[in-house]
């Protein structure tokens, strides 16, 4: 019921756990604590109300974030004059990398609560994630440019006619808004034949919430993210 989160372990440089089932906490206290002690820190993600808050807190877990899941009709998006002058670079046609030093800082990230994690390390995590996505799904990963300069990236994974809109990032010092980045990507995906996109984002990320609301997204559910960092409880 608790396994290694390999990606986070490789990024963090120490074993990181992920609780797969809230039933993990139905075990005797000593067994729960012993299992947690194997990890530098651990995460639980579950629907609100599934886990008992007081019991989680008794082991040192705290609510770090709530993710909002949404669906976006890509075929309904219409280009606007604001997209003129943007160049879209698909990774399968003109490979690119997303440098950790080239992206804007992330201000709504739950892992900032993990001891030792800085803004620099968060960007490194996103750069690793971006590299994996570009490698596995290059035909749906794009870099948006203005006059040859990267303005941001939108990296997705295909699921039939649907897309998992996994990762969107603006570049440090971008000249375009996040709305223009998201709209440009959505319109481009629709031209590729994708009719529906879905993903999630932090409930605390009001700018992204406003962007997806503007684009006509439907918000369908939420998921709580709990962290245990070994320094609480």
């Amino acid at each position: 019921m608790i396994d290694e989160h390999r990606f986070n372990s490789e990024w963090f440089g120490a074993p990181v756990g992920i609780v797969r089932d809230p039933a993990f906490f139905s075990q005797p206290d000593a067994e729960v604590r012993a299992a947690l002690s194997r990890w530098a820190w651990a995460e639980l993600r579950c629907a609100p109300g599934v886990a008992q808050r007081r019991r989680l807190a008794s082991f040192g877990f705290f609510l770090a974030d709530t993710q909002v899941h949404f669906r976006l009709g890509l075929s309904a998006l219409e280009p606007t004059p604001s997209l003129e002058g943007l160049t879209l670079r698909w990774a399968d046609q003109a490979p690119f990398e997303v440098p950790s030093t080239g992206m804007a800082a992330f201000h709504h990230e739950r892992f900032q609560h993990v001891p030792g994690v800085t803004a620099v390390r968060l960007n490194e995590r996103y750069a690793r994630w971006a590299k994996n996505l570009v490698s596995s799904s290059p035909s749906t990963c794009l870099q948006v440019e203005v006059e040859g300069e990267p303005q941001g990236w939108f990296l997705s994974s295909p699921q039939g006619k649907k897309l998992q809109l996994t990762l969107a990032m603006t570049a440090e010092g971008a000249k375009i808004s996040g709305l223009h980045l998201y709209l440009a990507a959505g319109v481009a995906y629709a031209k590729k034949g994708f009719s529906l996109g879905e993903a999630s984002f932090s409930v605390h990320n009001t700018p992204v919430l406003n962007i997806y609301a503007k684009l006509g997204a439907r918000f369908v559910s939420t998921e709580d993210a709990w962290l245990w960092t070994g320094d609480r409880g």
Side-chain angles (χ1 to χ4, degrees):
M1 286 183 283
I2 181 168
D3 302 313
E4 181 179 17
H5 192 297
R6 184 168 297 178
F7 177 84
N8 279 340
S9 294
E10 293 174 352
W11 158 65
F12 189 71
V16 175
I18 181 165
V19 179
R20 302 290 185 184
D21 188 340
F24 169 75
F25 298 98
S26 65
Q27 302 177 98
D29 290 11
E31 293 185 20
V32 172
R33 296 186 189 281
L36 289 172
S37 68
R38 297 166 47 203
W39 313 103
W41 53 276
E43 180 179 21
L44 163 70
R45 296 182 63 169
C46 61
V50 169
Q52 297 181 11
R53 289 174 176 256
R54 289 185 179 180
R55 183 148 180 80
L56 291 180
S58 72
F59 294 112
F61 277 81
F62 59 97
L63 183 61
D65 191 20
T66 296
Q67 293 278 305
V68 180
H69 294 268
F70 70 91
R71 293 173 183 163
L72 177 64
L74 300 172
S75 55
L77 298 178
E78 295 288 343
T80 65
S82 62
L83 302 187
E84 296 178 5
L86 301 185
T87 300
L88 303 187
R89 179 177 173 181
W90 297 99
D92 63 333
Q93 300 172 1
F96 60 82
E97 293 184 359
V98 181
S100 62
T101 55
M103 63 184 77
F106 292 87
H107 300 293
H108 307 283
E109 171 55 68
R110 63 190 180 277
F111 298 131
Q112 66 182 312
H113 301 298
V114 176
V117 172
T118 62
V120 171
R121 293 198 70 185
L122 284 176
N123 277 21
E124 290 172 351
R125 182 179 187 275
Y126 277 92
R128 280 175 173 264
W129 194 1
K131 183 177 181 179
N132 290 347
L133 289 167
V134 169
S135 176
S136 62
S137 305
S139 65
T140 50
C141 290
L142 61 84
Q143 176 172 282
V144 178
E145 303 176 351
V146 171
E147 299 179 349
E149 292 295 324
Q151 302 298 301
W153 302 268
F154 212 115
L155 314 176
S156 302
S157 302
Q159 299 174 337
K161 288 294 183 181
K162 295 193 302 183
L163 270 179
Q164 187 68 29
L165 305 173
T166 309
L167 191 56
M169 302 169 289
T170 55
E172 181 70 29
K175 299 176 182 178
I176 67 172
S177 68
L179 175 60
H180 293 157
L181 171 66
Y182 286 48
L183 178 59
V187 169
Y189 287 139
K191 289 181 179 179
K192 278 182 170 266
F194 295 102
S195 58
L196 181 68
E198 55 187 18
S200 63
F201 60 90
S202 171
V203 71
H204 303 292
N205 197 338
T206 305
V208 168
L209 174 62
N210 285 326
I211 288 173
Y212 279 123
K214 178 74 172 179
L215 296 179
R218 179 187 177 191
F219 307 109
V220 295
S221 64
T222 58
E223 183 181 54
D224 287 341
W226 294 78
L227 290 180
W228 174 84
T229 61
D231 64 338
R232 301 180 183 224

